[in-house]
Amino acid sequence: MLAREKLIFKLLPVLIFILTALVVMAASGKSIDATKAGVVGDGVTVNTVAIQKAIDDCSADGGGTIQFPAGRYLTGTIQIKNNVTLRLEKDATLLGSTDVADYRNLDPFIDGSGNPMGHALIVAVDAENVGIEGKGTVDGQSPELKAKQNPYVLRPFLLRWVRCTNVTVRDVHLANPGAWTLNFFQTKGAVIEGVIIRSRDLGMPNNDGINLDSSENVRVSNCDVVSGDDALVIKSTSSAKPSRDIKATKCKLSSRTNAIKLGTESIGGFENISVTDCQITNTKMAGIALYAVDGGDLRNVSISDITMDGVVVPISIRLGARLKTFREGDQPRQTPGKLRDVTIKNVSAKNIEMIGMLINGIPGFPVEALTLENIQLELPGGGTAEAANVQLPEKEEAYPEFDMFGKSMPAYGIYARHLRDVKFQNVRTTVKTPDARPAKIFVDVEGVTPAGFAPAPTMTAK
């Protein structure tokens, strides 16, 4: 064999790989008009079969983008397949069906309250290079769907990504989900950018905004979330898969519950989480909630540059011993995990209702290595000497929430219990009216540097 022929023979596998990649790239670059594939945008025709066929054909042909021009496209559950992106143009709306028979559950599970969950309007399972983008809307029509059920049992998520790789959700408007709005489970690599979520005041539970579960390498930026339940929440329902390497920045968050939350489901734990430069308004529970109660560790978490206007508790932290499981086959952990190496800094909060900070470990399992820096809290004051004598219960196995110990607090600034190696630096409180309670109460603490925690004089109410 000639030398040149030998070289070509050796390079043949590489050439075949390159040609195959070019074919895939070319295919994934193609764009398909959904209306040319038989999808009807009249708001009446149920398009589930037509949309699914367009997705299946596109994926089988190497992938691409399915475009929805202006119109209202009624559908039940649709499954996005490999290398397919849905693009909703301005004034294009995917409408969720109001018929329960049009929904499928491709990955059933039990949520933290013990409810069966998993139905979704748009879902991808074990898929890669998938997404949804554009200036259009996905509307789950949940009030109408709820009205046709008694009791309200089938509550579809709006968008759900299960064990996917390389997901993009960009610029879309998401509204009226039956349950969580945007959910990622065991997903590796996701970009969530410029998304608007509206799920508040629907009269139904569990309308989380952005919900990340046992996922990793996720980037969230420039999102605007007004949600009925937690606005930006990171969970870990899989015992062997922590949520990790997640960054969120430049988001506006408002919620009927918590704005930024890690937990409650926390068996797998959390690590390497960063949330920065966010605005929190009109939130009815905690602005920042860090809850590790199912045996997983919560560590290496940084939250900074947060403004709050209208929260009940700006910072609520709990290490507990509920020790619950959420996935079939998982065994409960035998002991609580660790909550440590957490930094919260550059936080300002006003129009606070209850207390500035509530931080609790449990006996024998303290919150450790916590840094609170440059935190300014404006509190209502008005607490009584009687309230200063309130004794808070431990509730080691309880569901964690801002009011788990009651709503009457013995301190107005911070109540901290079972802590080790905690640093307060430039943490200040201001009360609008005089308060007979102390600014801080520390119970069972070691290695705590409280010198940087100081109450400021009572301000004059305007």
Side-chain angles (χ1 to χ4, degrees):
M1 185 180 294
L2 297 176
R4 185 168 58 183
E5 292 172 332
K6 288 182 179 179
L7 179 61
I8 292 174
F9 182 77
K10 288 181 179 180
L11 293 175
L12 187 59
V14 177
L15 293 171
I16 292 173
F17 174 81
I18 293 173
L19 289 172
T20 302
L22 290 172
V23 170
V24 171
M25 288 173 62
S28 64
K30 66 178 180 291
S31 180
I32 299 167
D33 186 330
T35 61
K36 301 292 179 61
V39 180
V40 180
D42 60 4
V44 178
T45 303
V46 180
N47 290 284
T48 312
V49 173
I51 294 174
Q52 192 62 61
K53 185 176 186 306
I55 291 171
D56 293 347
D57 290 348
C58 182
S59 180
D61 197 29
T65 300
I66 299 176
Q67 292 185 311
F68 291 79
R72 294 170 62 81
Y73 303 91
L74 187 65
T75 182
T77 298
I78 54 176
Q79 183 178 1
I80 302 181
K81 303 290 184 66
N82 287 347
N83 303 311
V84 172
T85 295
L86 305 185
R87 180 172 181 81
L88 306 180
E89 303 296 346
K90 188 176 182 298
D91 298 324
T93 300
L94 282 177
L95 285 173
S97 171
T98 59
D99 186 344
V100 296
D102 288 332
Y103 290 92
R104 296 181 291 153
N105 189 343
L106 302 185
D107 182 71
F109 73 100
I110 303 298
D111 73 3
S113 300
N115 301 311
M117 300 289 283
H119 289 83
L121 178 59
I122 299 173
V123 61
V125 179
D126 298 315
E128 60 182 16
N129 306 322
V130 290
I132 182 167
E133 61 184 24
K135 297 294 186 180
T137 299
V138 182
D139 184 344
Q141 296 201 106
S142 58
E144 292 84 356
L145 183 63
K146 178 184 178 181
K148 293 187 177 182
Q149 299 181 63
N150 187 20
Y152 182 45
V153 176
L154 192 144
R155 298 178 291 135
F157 298 174
L158 207 62
L159 271 66
R160 189 164 184 233
W161 313 92
V162 178
R163 298 183 300 275
C164 293
T165 305
N166 296 334
V167 179
T168 300
V169 181
R170 181 178 285 122
D171 294 336
V172 288
H173 183 181
L174 308 177
N176 300 318
W180 302 341
T181 309
L182 180 54
N183 172 237
F184 294 78
F185 175 66
Q186 290 189 3
T187 288
K188 296 182 178 180
V191 174
I192 307 161
E193 182 179 14
V195 174
I196 298 173
I197 291 176
R198 295 293 183 265
S199 67
R200 191 161 181 159
D201 300 326
L202 297 178
M204 58 192 72
N206 304 122
N207 292 129
D208 291 0
I210 299 171
N211 186 303
L212 311 174
D213 182 0
S214 299
S215 295
E216 59 184 275
N217 190 21
V218 179
R219 301 293 179 265
V220 182
S221 63
N222 297 297
C223 293
D224 183 347
V225 181
V226 180
S227 61
D229 212 318
D230 303 326
L232 171 61
V233 56
I234 305 173
K235 303 174 181 286
S236 61
T237 62
S238 302
S239 61
K241 293 184 179 296
S243 283
R244 60 189 178 192
D245 301 324
I246 295 170
K247 294 184 178 181
T249 187
K250 298 184 184 305
C251 292
K252 296 179 180 179
L253 306 170
S254 177
S255 172
R256 287 183 64 249
T257 59
N258 304 284
I260 299 167
K261 181 178 176 182
L262 274 61
T264 300
E265 295 87 336
S266 50
I267 188 171
F270 312 91
E271 57 187 54
N272 303 333
I273 311 292
S274 171
V275 182
T276 63
D277 196 12
C278 292
Q279 301 173 28
I280 295 171
T281 58
N282 190 19
T283 290
K284 299 305 181 183
M285 291 185 183
I288 298 168
L290 306 180
Y291 299 146
V293 296
D294 297 314
D297 293 345
L298 189 157
R299 61 186 184 183
N300 297 333
V301 172
S302 174
I303 301 176
S304 64
D305 300 294
I306 308 294
T307 63
M308 306 183 195
D309 186 355
V311 295
V312 178
V313 179
I315 298 171
S316 178
I317 299 175
R318 172 64 164 175
L319 174 62
R322 183 179 64 166
L323 305 180
K324 190 172 182 177
T325 62
F326 309 93
R327 294 281 166 175
E328 186 176 352
D330 280 352
Q331 297 298 314
R333 297 188 185 274
Q334 300 303 306
T335 60
K338 294 182 180 296
L339 197 163
R340 59 171 298 120
D341 299 314
V342 173
T343 297
I344 301 174
K345 65 180 182 180
N346 302 337
V347 174
S348 65
K350 61 182 180 179
N351 294 317
I352 301 165
E353 292 185 21
M354 194 171 85
I355 189 171
M357 288 184 269
L358 192 58
I359 305 172
N360 283 268
I362 58 177
F365 296 91
V367 174
E368 302 176 280
L370 172 65
T371 298
L372 299 158
E373 180 181 346
N374 295 335
I375 297 176
Q376 312 297 319
L377 306 174
E378 179 188 292
L379 293 142
T384 64
E386 181 182 10
N389 293 319
V390 168
Q391 300 295 312
L392 301 188
E394 292 284 357
K395 293 193 172 182
E396 299 178 22
E397 300 176 5
Y399 183 99
E401 202 57 273
F402 80 103
D403 60 352
M404 65 183 297
F405 307 112
K407 294 184 179 180
S408 181
M409 293 287 111
Y412 67 81
I414 178 170
Y415 181 92
R417 180 170 52 177
H418 311 307
L419 272 62
R420 302 292 183 270
D421 301 323
V422 178
K423 181 188 293 184
F424 295 91
Q425 183 173 345
N426 192 29
V427 177
R428 296 188 173 274
T429 61
T430 300
V431 289
K432 290 185 176 180
T433 60
D435 201 306
R437 298 170 298 171
K440 62 181 183 292
I441 292 179
F442 292 158
V443 179
D444 180 26
V445 300
E446 292 181 10
V448 174
T449 307
F453 181 89
T458 302
M459 64 181 290
T460 302
K462 295 180 179 180

